[in-house]
Amino acid sequence: MTEVVPAKPISWPVGKTSAASFSFDIDAESAILNFKPNAVDQMSTMSHQSYGPLTGVPRILDILEANQIKSTFFVPGYTARRYPRVIKNIVAAGHEIAHHGDMHEQPAHATPEEEIGFIERGIESLEKVAGVTPIGYRAPMWELSWHTPELLSKYGFLYDSSLMDADHPYELAVGNKSIVELPIQWALDDWEQYAFLPDITGVGLIESPNKVREMWQLEYEALAKAGGIFILTNHPFLSGRPSRAQSLDIFIKAVLADPKVWVAPLGEIAKHVRSLNLEPRVLTKPNLNA
Amino acid sequence: MTEVVPAKPISWPVGKTSAASFSFDIDAESAILNFKPNAVDQMSTMSHQSYGPLTGVPRILDILEANQIKSTFFVPGYTARRYPRVIKNIVAAGHEIAHHGDMHEQPAHATPEEEIGFIERGIESLEKVAGVTPIGYRAPMWELSWHTPELLSKYGFLYDSSLMDADHPYELAVGNKSIVELPIQWALDDWEQYAFLPDITGVGLIESPNKVREMWQLEYEALAKAGGIFILTNHPFLSGRPSRAQSLDIFIKAVLADPKVWVAPLGEIAKHVRSLNLEPRVLTKPNLNA
Amino acid sequence: MTEVVPAKPISWPVGKTSAASFSFDIDAESAILNFKPNAVDQMSTMSHQSYGPLTGVPRILDILEANQIKSTFFVPGYTARRYPRVIKNIVAAGHEIAHHGDMHEQPAHATPEEEIGFIERGIESLEKVAGVTPIGYRAPMWELSWHTPELLSKYGFLYDSSLMDADHPYELAVGNKSIVELPIQWALDDWEQYAFLPDITGVGLIESPNKVREMWQLEYEALAKAGGIFILTNHPFLSGRPSRAQSLDIFIKAVLADPKVWVAPLGEIAKHVRSLNLEPRVLTKPNLNA
Amino acid sequence: MTEVVPAKPISWPVGKTSAASFSFDIDAESAILNFKPNAVDQMSTMSHQSYGPLTGVPRILDILEANQIKSTFFVPGYTARRYPRVIKNIVAAGHEIAHHGDMHEQPAHATPEEEIGFIERGIESLEKVAGVTPIGYRAPMWELSWHTPELLSKYGFLYDSSLMDADHPYELAVGNKSIVELPIQWALDDWEQYAFLPDITGVGLIESPNKVREMWQLEYEALAKAGGIFILTNHPFLSGRPSRAQSLDIFIKAVLADPKVWVAPLGEIAKHVRSLNLEPRVLTKPNLNA
């Protein structure tokens, strides 16, 4: 085995010493239907998920507008087909639309052929509904297969945002090419803090927005000090609820108060990373017998 | 698919800018016996559930009386038959009695024929015990089937309180009729915060009433600001415990301190909503192949 | 069905308006071995359980001594046989020893014949090791069967402490006799807050002693105001750890600061209750078809 | 059965009244691959684990260096083979490398023959990669079998750190020899507080570093007062994240502020314990039929 080399700090645009991005995954019904198709018969569960596009997204768009920031929305193809006006509104507000599978499928649990289907159907729906060809991808459940990067490269994606081994963005080697990787982590996801649907997700734990913001604020401050990238992932069906959205608003304002932090959509950050001509990192799959 | 349209803010009675309702589900033994009938042999578990009607309800009635507010109690038929005096006391205190199934059955996991049985048996018991024909319904586990609204309309119900896609009440289309929907959410339920019965519910997590009140207070304030409806759902077998009830009392007083919030039973709120002649919203079941 | 009648407030000894008791269940290995016998091969797991009698109990005895209070220790027969000196030390310090099964067996999951075996083997071990015939019983996992009260009465027990339907002690009818019931609740047990053994108990959640004390303090204050009985249940393998024991010490001092609270072992409280000649309460098993 | 005797307080080096050690388990991929080998196909999950050696360890080494303390790193053989440079850097910084199985195997779930394989492969890799023959062992998942101590003694280990029955170090009898035992506990492990990987570990609960530090600080203070040993176990893939590492740094500084606490690697502490010529404690396996 060749030893994997850690990601290194990168330089940020002039005057900036770290980056932050507030991203949103509009899973809506798809995240539930993907692994439990007959949940389609549970009207209340479906309504819980539709809160995201119907009520959460408009509220979040208002907050982003009030704070004058642009963001990235990861949209499964199914969500785009079911809520086209919601998606068009996001585009109209100047935010980035990125790829999040078609029915929220996890690449690591699929064959390469199936993966191609998810990617193609997702692109097709985003182009048709949003008029956008996505340059960014995030694996549903953040669960990339080892084939995904090559497929993303082949389909013209600039970046992925599903890996967890670094504080800094990097170029991920794909053969003799590369894609930009914008790393994330479970602690910066609202699902663990807020999600509960009986027999579907969560064990009942629902945290206070104050606890959650404290945790995110601590990690933001420490990541900023390290010169890294802080990527928050929120789901409108969860963080679109009034008090969580308000807490997010307070947090965004705290981040924006620091002029040295570059707040931008992931696509812009990826373009910046690409401009740095970084040497690609080679991630090797563990060999169980080595 | 026709795209679902979000619920819109509604107007509230003169001088009011939002609404709040403190509702109670008196599940008692039924919620456990429905999915684990042989728990009937577990004397301590049964006593845990009976704390609700025996000890929790009287304490809650005192708190509601002290605060001079009326509330809505959702009562499964089985609870009414087992604790008739408890239910009569609730009626005598001027509170609303509403429908919560017969043995706490979840509509989404039943056939339409079975659902009819739950509804009819529940109505019959509430009429017999409480002398009340309920105008409100809440699905056990908040799990409506897509057939339930039509059945509720057919059986003369004015409102349901089991959907989660909105901050505001609305008229839910049922063919060319409608029922009033008063939306709820998991974070405003005490079960997730307090319930634990080994091998039956919960994973052991039991929260402090202070944490729970903080979370509810934050959501109340944000929902009030949004002009929405804040519906808290408490179970007397949980929130009837002394310190939780005391915490609820403190919270109720905080809500009542704001003269712009309309605190009322759900039935009254539903009648107000009906008086507004809102255009019914059509909720469409997701099509897995669309 | 005859409707169950709630427990009523009782009178306490002169000058006292409520009662508090700090009880301990010395489960040690038995609680694990009962449902997973082959955990006996897991040396570390066994050492985790033996922390209770070896390290936790001496520390707790010191705290009780320093605060000049007597307590009740529920001891499974197996614990008594494996740790006789530990049990003798508890007796020597003047505390009550009570019955907690033989290998921590749950009555609700046993036949009446098996229950008789648990009771007899437990009594035999406590008599042999501690020289004590117990007058109190607590069902392991607090899971009484509907037969247990009759068996306890037959074997001469004065009281049980495993039911959850009341804030006040009461006489529990057993035919035309009765036993005293000293009711408990899950929120006043340290297991939910602190216990974790992979694949055996808990999901990883381990709380801070400060959170736990806050929750217990709130419930203590509210129960005292209601004139009820506050029974705390601690496991030495959990609450015998230094910071948890220190937190318990702080809490005990807070309770003792109120001269109107009667702090006593459960046996003494049960004798007081018996002296009141209360009318026994009849608890009826739910009828699934009623 | 012969009754097990509790561990007694020991004397510490001159001027010291207790000990503290900050230990790290560099599980990386091995802890996941051991029980779910096909997780090797989940690229994101693997990247989550590799965060430990790639990003977490360098950050932790910086913190240890800044605080001028030496620590103990438990390294599975597989980790050493996959990340040799990382391990060499730890050695170069003067820290202790100790044994943690080969692929993070739990002794309690293995035959003695299999255990020999884990031990030998682990030693071989540590010698080859780090140039170190380990004198310390920690069972993966802290799950010793009853055979492990004898095997450790046979393979020349000075100490183990996997048992939970004491606040003080002790000599653990192995026939007429002994090994030093440095006891640990679940509440002083970061896994329970921070770990989450869907369908692999955790239920979604992720705590704030502030909550975690409060809990550790309380236990540290109480253990120090008791004259015991405080052993913190952190995993670089978890506590190497920026805000958690910063919280750990704050905590280390708080511990170092007390001149009476001896902060040292576990190997040094074990040598001190050995120098005391303590009488070995005999731990007996419970007899299910006794």
Side-chain angles (χ1 to χ4, degrees):
Chain A
M1 289 188 287
T2 308
E3 188 165 353
V4 176
V5 175
K8 296 194 188 72
I10 66 167
S11 60
W12 294 107
V14 177
K16 302 294 183 185
T17 56
S18 73
S21 195
F22 299 91
S23 69
F24 300 91
D25 295 0
I26 316 185
D27 297 343
E29 293 88 347
S30 70
I32 307 303
L33 295 177
N34 178 255
F35 73 93
K36 190 184 174 186
N38 63 6
V40 77
D41 294 325
Q42 300 171 231
M43 187 185 189
S44 297
T45 294
M46 291 297 99
S47 76
H48 180 263
Q49 297 306 111
S50 68
Y51 185 91
L54 295 177
T55 307
V57 168
R59 177 170 285 131
I60 286 163
L61 289 178
D62 286 349
I63 289 173
L64 297 176
E65 166 77 15
N67 287 291
Q68 288 286 303
I69 62 174
K70 298 301 178 198
S71 185
T72 302
F73 289 77
F74 291 90
V75 182
Y78 189 80
T79 296
R81 294 193 295 280
R82 186 161 160 85
Y83 300 100
R85 279 183 293 197
V86 173
I87 307 309
K88 287 181 209 296
N89 287 342
I90 296 170
V91 175
H95 301 288
E96 178 188 7
I97 299 288
H99 197 295
H100 198 45
D102 189 58
M103 189 58 105
H104 204 263
E105 307 90 349
Q106 299 179 48
H109 301 309
T111 65
E113 292 67 35
E114 289 171 332
E115 272 202 64
I116 288 171
F118 309 154
I119 292 173
E120 292 189 347
R121 286 197 293 278
I123 291 174
E124 186 186 13
S125 284
L126 296 185
E127 288 180 340
K128 205 164 168 182
V129 169
V132 168
T133 302
I135 62 167
Y137 176 80
R138 172 174 286 166
M141 298 297 284
W142 283 332
E143 201 54 272
L144 287 185
S145 80
W146 293 90
H147 304 110
T148 319
E150 190 182 351
L151 291 173
L152 294 179
S153 175
K154 192 171 152 193
Y155 280 86
F157 285 88
L158 171 63
Y159 76 93
D160 168 70
S161 184
S162 322
L163 292 175
M164 316 194 191
D165 65 339
D167 297 332
H168 310 289
Y170 54 90
E171 290 279 355
L172 173 65
V174 178
N176 54 9
K177 297 186 175 178
S178 66
I179 57 170
V180 172
E181 176 62 35
L182 304 176
I184 47 70
Q185 56 169 300
W186 287 110
L188 298 180
D189 178 18
D190 62 350
W191 193 296
E192 290 66 40
Q193 307 297 324
Y194 296 141
F196 175 62
L197 279 171
D199 299 324
I200 290 180
T201 195
V203 290
L205 177 80
I206 299 177
E207 294 285 26
S208 163
N210 282 0
K211 178 259 183 169
V212 175
R213 191 172 72 244
E214 174 192 275
M215 193 172 80
W216 290 345
Q217 178 85 24
L218 288 170
E219 184 68 358
Y220 156 70
E221 289 170 7
L223 256 171
K225 196 182 287 185
I229 183 166
F230 175 89
I231 303 176
L232 191 66
T233 298
N234 277 186
H235 296 77
F237 79 89
L238 296 170
S239 286
R241 293 273 171 197
S243 60
R244 296 168 186 164
Q246 181 177 288
S247 181
L248 176 65
D249 184 35
I250 294 170
F251 180 46
I252 289 174
K253 285 176 167 57
V255 171
L256 289 173
D258 182 349
K260 289 185 296 181
V261 179
W262 182 35
V263 178
L266 293 175
E268 280 191 38
I269 295 176
K271 286 173 189 165
H272 167 75
V273 174
R274 175 54 51 95
S275 76
L276 298 173
N277 281 311
L278 303 174
E279 177 158 9
R281 292 178 66 216
V282 178
L283 298 193
T284 56
K285 183 173 171 177
N287 178 345
L288 287 169
N289 304 312
Chain B
M1 290 188 287
T2 309
E3 188 165 355
V4 175
V5 174
K8 296 194 187 74
I10 65 166
S11 59
W12 294 108
V14 178
K16 304 294 182 184
T17 56
S18 74
S21 195
F22 299 91
S23 69
F24 300 90
D25 294 0
I26 316 185
D27 297 342
E29 293 88 348
S30 70
I32 307 302
L33 295 177
N34 178 254
F35 74 92
K36 189 184 175 189
N38 63 6
V40 77
D41 294 325
Q42 299 172 232
M43 188 185 188
S44 297
T45 294
M46 292 296 100
S47 76
H48 180 263
Q49 297 306 112
S50 68
Y51 184 91
L54 295 176
T55 308
V57 168
R59 175 170 287 131
I60 286 164
L61 289 178
D62 285 351
I63 289 172
L64 296 176
E65 166 77 16
N67 287 291
Q68 289 286 301
I69 61 173
K70 299 302 178 196
S71 185
T72 301
F73 288 76
F74 291 90
V75 182
Y78 190 79
T79 297
R81 295 194 295 280
R82 187 163 159 84
Y83 299 102
R85 278 183 295 198
V86 173
I87 306 310
K88 286 181 210 297
N89 287 342
I90 296 170
V91 175
H95 301 289
E96 178 188 7
I97 299 289
H99 197 295
H100 199 44
D102 188 57
M103 189 57 106
H104 204 262
E105 306 91 348
Q106 297 180 48
H109 300 309
T111 64
E113 291 68 35
E114 289 170 332
E115 274 203 62
I116 289 172
F118 310 154
I119 292 173
E120 292 189 347
R121 287 197 293 278
I123 291 173
E124 185 186 14
S125 283
L126 296 186
E127 289 181 340
K128 204 164 168 182
V129 168
V132 168
T133 301
I135 62 168
Y137 176 81
R138 172 174 286 166
M141 298 296 284
W142 284 332
E143 201 55 272
L144 287 185
S145 80
W146 294 90
H147 304 109
T148 319
E150 190 181 352
L151 290 173
L152 293 178
S153 174
K154 192 172 152 192
Y155 279 86
F157 285 88
L158 170 62
Y159 76 93
D160 168 70
S161 184
S162 321
L163 291 175
M164 317 194 189
D165 65 339
D167 298 332
H168 310 289
Y170 54 89
E171 291 278 355
L172 172 65
V174 179
N176 54 8
K177 296 184 175 180
S178 66
I179 57 171
V180 172
E181 177 61 35
L182 303 176
I184 48 72
Q185 56 169 302
W186 287 110
L188 299 180
D189 178 18
D190 62 351
W191 193 296
E192 290 66 40
Q193 306 297 325
Y194 296 141
F196 175 62
L197 278 171
D199 299 324
I200 290 181
T201 195
V203 289
L205 177 79
I206 299 177
E207 294 285 25
S208 163
N210 281 0
K211 178 257 183 168
V212 176
R213 193 172 70 245
E214 174 192 278
M215 193 172 79
W216 291 345
Q217 178 86 25
L218 288 169
E219 184 68 358
Y220 155 70
E221 289 169 6
L223 257 172
K225 195 181 289 186
I229 182 165
F230 174 89
I231 303 177
L232 191 66
T233 297
N234 277 187
H235 296 78
F237 78 90
L238 295 170
S239 286
R241 294 273 172 197
S243 61
R244 296 169 186 164
Q246 181 177 288
S247 182
L248 176 64
D249 184 35
I250 294 170
F251 180 46
I252 289 174
K253 285 176 167 56
V255 171
L256 290 174
D258 183 348
K260 289 185 296 181
V261 180
W262 182 35
V263 178
L266 294 175
E268 280 191 38
I269 295 176
K271 286 173 189 166
H272 167 74
V273 174
R274 174 57 49 96
S275 76
L276 299 173
N277 282 309
L278 303 173
E279 177 159 7
R281 291 179 68 216
V282 178
L283 298 192
T284 57
K285 183 174 172 175
N287 178 345
L288 287 168
N289 304 310
Chain C
M1 290 189 286
T2 309
E3 187 165 354
V4 176
V5 174
K8 295 194 188 74
I10 65 167
S11 59
W12 294 107
V14 178
K16 303 295 183 186
T17 55
S18 73
S21 194
F22 298 91
S23 70
F24 299 91
D25 294 0
I26 316 185
D27 297 342
E29 293 89 347
S30 70
I32 308 303
L33 296 176
N34 177 254
F35 74 93
K36 190 185 174 187
N38 64 6
V40 78
D41 293 326
Q42 299 171 230
M43 187 184 189
S44 298
T45 294
M46 292 296 99
S47 76
H48 180 264
Q49 296 306 112
S50 67
Y51 185 91
L54 295 177
T55 306
V57 168
R59 175 170 286 130
I60 286 163
L61 289 178
D62 286 350
I63 289 171
L64 297 176
E65 167 76 16
N67 286 291
Q68 289 286 301
I69 62 173
K70 300 301 178 197
S71 185
T72 302
F73 288 76
F74 291 90
V75 181
Y78 189 80
T79 296
R81 294 193 296 279
R82 187 162 159 85
Y83 300 101
R85 279 184 294 198
V86 173
I87 306 309
K88 286 182 211 294
N89 287 342
I90 295 170
V91 175
H95 301 289
E96 178 187 7
I97 299 290
H99 198 295
H100 199 44
D102 189 57
M103 189 58 104
H104 204 263
E105 306 91 348
Q106 298 180 47
H109 300 309
T111 64
E113 290 68 37
E114 290 171 332
E115 272 203 62
I116 289 172
F118 310 154
I119 292 174
E120 292 190 346
R121 286 197 295 279
I123 291 175
E124 186 187 13
S125 284
L126 296 185
E127 288 181 341
K128 206 164 169 180
V129 168
V132 168
T133 302
I135 61 168
Y137 176 81
R138 172 174 287 167
M141 298 296 285
W142 284 333
E143 202 53 273
L144 288 185
S145 79
W146 293 90
H147 304 109
T148 319
E150 189 180 352
L151 290 172
L152 294 178
S153 175
K154 191 173 153 193
Y155 279 86
F157 285 88
L158 171 62
Y159 76 92
D160 169 70
S161 183
S162 320
L163 292 175
M164 316 193 188
D165 64 338
D167 298 329
H168 310 289
Y170 54 88
E171 292 279 355
L172 172 65
V174 179
N176 53 10
K177 295 185 176 181
S178 67
I179 57 170
V180 172
E181 177 61 36
L182 303 175
I184 47 72
Q185 56 169 301
W186 286 109
L188 298 180
D189 179 17
D190 61 351
W191 193 297
E192 289 68 38
Q193 307 296 324
Y194 295 142
F196 175 62
L197 279 171
D199 299 325
I200 290 182
T201 196
V203 288
L205 176 80
I206 300 178
E207 293 285 25
S208 163
N210 282 0
K211 178 258 182 168
V212 176
R213 192 172 71 246
E214 174 191 278
M215 193 172 78
W216 291 345
Q217 178 85 25
L218 288 170
E219 184 68 358
Y220 156 70
E221 289 170 7
L223 256 172
K225 195 181 288 185
I229 182 166
F230 174 88
I231 303 177
L232 191 67
T233 297
N234 277 185
H235 296 78
F237 78 90
L238 295 170
S239 286
R241 295 273 171 198
S243 61
R244 296 168 187 165
Q246 181 177 288
S247 181
L248 176 64
D249 184 35
I250 294 170
F251 179 45
I252 289 175
K253 284 176 167 56
V255 171
L256 290 173
D258 182 349
K260 288 185 296 181
V261 179
W262 182 35
V263 178
L266 294 175
E268 279 192 38
I269 295 175
K271 286 174 189 167
H272 167 75
V273 174
R274 174 57 49 95
S275 77
L276 299 174
N277 282 310
L278 303 174
E279 177 160 8
R281 290 178 69 215
V282 178
L283 298 192
T284 57
K285 183 173 172 175
N287 178 344
L288 287 169
N289 303 311
Chain D
M1 290 188 286
T2 308
E3 188 166 352
V4 176
V5 174
K8 295 194 187 75
I10 67 167
S11 60
W12 294 107
V14 177
K16 303 294 183 185
T17 55
S18 74
S21 194
F22 299 91
S23 69
F24 300 91
D25 294 0
I26 317 185
D27 297 343
E29 294 89 347
S30 70
I32 307 303
L33 295 177
N34 177 254
F35 73 94
K36 189 185 174 186
N38 64 6
V40 77
D41 294 327
Q42 299 172 231
M43 187 184 190
S44 298
T45 294
M46 291 296 100
S47 76
H48 180 263
Q49 296 306 111
S50 68
Y51 185 92
L54 296 176
T55 307
V57 169
R59 176 169 286 132
I60 286 163
L61 289 178
D62 285 349
I63 289 173
L64 297 176
E65 167 76 15
N67 286 291
Q68 289 286 303
I69 62 173
K70 300 300 178 198
S71 185
T72 301
F73 289 76
F74 291 91
V75 182
Y78 189 80
T79 296
R81 295 193 294 279
R82 186 160 159 86
Y83 301 100
R85 280 183 293 197
V86 174
I87 307 308
K88 286 182 211 296
N89 287 343
I90 296 170
V91 175
H95 300 288
E96 178 187 7
I97 300 288
H99 198 295
H100 199 45
D102 189 57
M103 189 57 105
H104 204 263
E105 307 90 349
Q106 299 180 47
H109 300 308
T111 64
E113 291 67 36
E114 290 170 332
E115 272 202 62
I116 289 172
F118 310 153
I119 292 174
E120 292 190 347
R121 287 197 293 278
I123 291 174
E124 186 186 13
S125 283
L126 295 186
E127 288 181 340
K128 204 164 171 182
V129 169
V132 167
T133 302
I135 62 168
Y137 176 81
R138 173 174 287 166
M141 297 297 285
W142 284 333
E143 202 53 273
L144 288 185
S145 80
W146 293 90
H147 304 110
T148 319
E150 190 181 353
L151 290 172
L152 294 178
S153 175
K154 192 171 153 194
Y155 279 87
F157 285 88
L158 171 62
Y159 75 93
D160 168 71
S161 184
S162 320
L163 292 175
M164 316 195 189
D165 64 339
D167 297 331
H168 310 289
Y170 53 90
E171 290 279 356
L172 173 64
V174 178
N176 53 9
K177 296 184 174 181
S178 66
I179 58 172
V180 172
E181 177 62 34
L182 303 176
I184 47 71
Q185 55 169 301
W186 286 109
L188 299 180
D189 179 17
D190 62 349
W191 194 295
E192 288 68 37
Q193 306 297 324
Y194 295 141
F196 175 63
L197 278 171
D199 298 326
I200 290 181
T201 195
V203 289
L205 177 80
I206 299 178
E207 294 285 25
S208 164
N210 282 0
K211 178 259 184 169
V212 176
R213 191 171 73 247
E214 173 192 276
M215 192 172 79
W216 291 345
Q217 178 85 23
L218 288 170
E219 184 68 358
Y220 156 70
E221 289 170 7
L223 257 171
K225 195 181 287 185
I229 183 166
F230 174 89
I231 304 176
L232 191 67
T233 297
N234 277 185
H235 295 78
F237 78 89
L238 296 170
S239 287
R241 293 273 170 197
S243 60
R244 295 168 187 165
Q246 180 177 288
S247 181
L248 177 64
D249 185 35
I250 294 171
F251 180 45
I252 289 175
K253 285 178 167 56
V255 171
L256 290 173
D258 182 348
K260 289 185 297 183
V261 179
W262 182 35
V263 177
L266 293 175
E268 280 192 38
I269 295 175
K271 286 174 188 164
H272 167 75
V273 174
R274 176 53 51 93
S275 77
L276 298 174
N277 281 311
L278 303 174
E279 176 158 8
R281 291 178 69 215
V282 179
L283 298 193
T284 56
K285 182 174 172 177
N287 178 344
L288 286 169
N289 304 311

